[in-house]
Amino acid sequence: MCSNLILMGVVGKPHGVRGLVHVRTYAENPQTLEQSGALQDDKGRKWFLSWRGADSVAELRDANGTPLADRDAAQALVNTRLYVPRTALPEPEEEEFYHADLIGMEAFENGLSLGRVVMVHDYGAGASLELSDGSLVPFTQACVPQVHLEQRIITVVRPEEVSGEEGRGVGKRQKTEVQP
């Protein structure tokens, strides 16, 4: 997928028989998907989303404004990823980062490369960065004190409990302190 596109949601199971679908949104505010205008899928198709009630139920319309005809059409779109151009999103506030901006950044600890950020995981208790060497780093101010978007590098300070080696030391970064 193009690096200037940001994943905003994924089409889930159909809802009812009239072409409605569940959509899992990755936006902080689900209304962002509706207000963003055209969403794009992996095949380059354009979609317009309108929320229909609770429980993440939405109507999808194609580029011509035609809604999904029925449950079978909705079922055919299950697991379709929906993106928006990066330029359509507001700039993040200070100490906030889009996951897509972090992926691919090179991580350094004590001047040594640990690899690149390959994934940002966020299961609700705070984000973690997965590095290309397989390690996970909590995305906190203490463990990732510096993020240089322009240079595409981050500085990592892993606590002993994370690095497993003596002397070595993902949304809005949590302000946590590493206890000695």
Side-chain angles (χ1 to χ4, degrees):
M1 197 77 269
C2 231
S3 63
N4 68 341
L5 295 176
I6 305 293
L7 178 63
M8 296 296 289
V10 177
V11 177
K13 64 184 179 180
H15 178 81
V17 297
R18 298 191 176 154
L20 298 179
V21 294
H22 289 269
V23 175
R24 178 175 180 191
T25 178
Y26 297 117
E28 187 173 355
N29 178 356
Q31 293 302 317
T32 303
L33 273 78
E34 189 170 8
Q35 297 164 354
S36 294
L39 301 166
Q40 182 176 326
D41 67 18
D42 289 317
K43 297 178 181 176
R45 299 175 296 188
K46 304 283 187 203
W47 299 97
F48 295 91
L49 179 142
S50 299
W51 295 110
R52 297 287 184 247
D55 298 326
S56 303
V57 175
E59 175 184 66
L60 285 176
R61 293 179 174 268
D62 66 17
N64 297 322
T66 306
L68 298 176
D70 56 25
R71 185 177 185 85
D72 291 336
Q75 181 65 41
L77 290 180
V78 169
N79 293 323
T80 297
R81 295 170 180 250
L82 301 171
Y83 302 88
V84 296
R86 173 69 170 81
T87 55
L89 299 173
E91 285 303 312
E93 294 183 22
E94 189 172 329
E95 295 301 311
E96 287 186 343
F97 306 92
Y98 289 117
H99 290 184
D101 291 343
L102 297 170
I103 293 172
M105 295 183 87
E106 189 162 6
F108 287 92
E109 181 178 44
N110 297 325
L112 299 173
S113 175
L114 298 174
R116 297 199 177 273
V117 176
V118 295
M119 181 68 72
V120 179
H121 300 282
D122 192 344
Y123 301 110
S128 295
L129 305 178
E130 181 179 341
L131 303 180
S132 55
D133 71 353
S135 63
L136 290 174
V137 178
F139 191 52
T140 63
Q141 186 70 42
C143 293
V144 185
Q146 296 177 331
V147 176
H148 301 285
L149 290 173
E150 298 80 27
Q151 293 91 358
R152 306 284 302 142
I153 60 172
I154 61 172
T155 301
V156 173
V157 179
R158 295 181 294 176
E160 187 176 326
E161 296 82 26
V162 174
S163 68
E165 297 178 25
E166 183 95 26
R168 299 221 27 194
V170 212
K172 190 169 193 168
R173 288 190 286 184
Q174 299 174 346
K175 296 193 184 315
T176 60
E177 294 185 23
V178 178
Q179 299 298 321

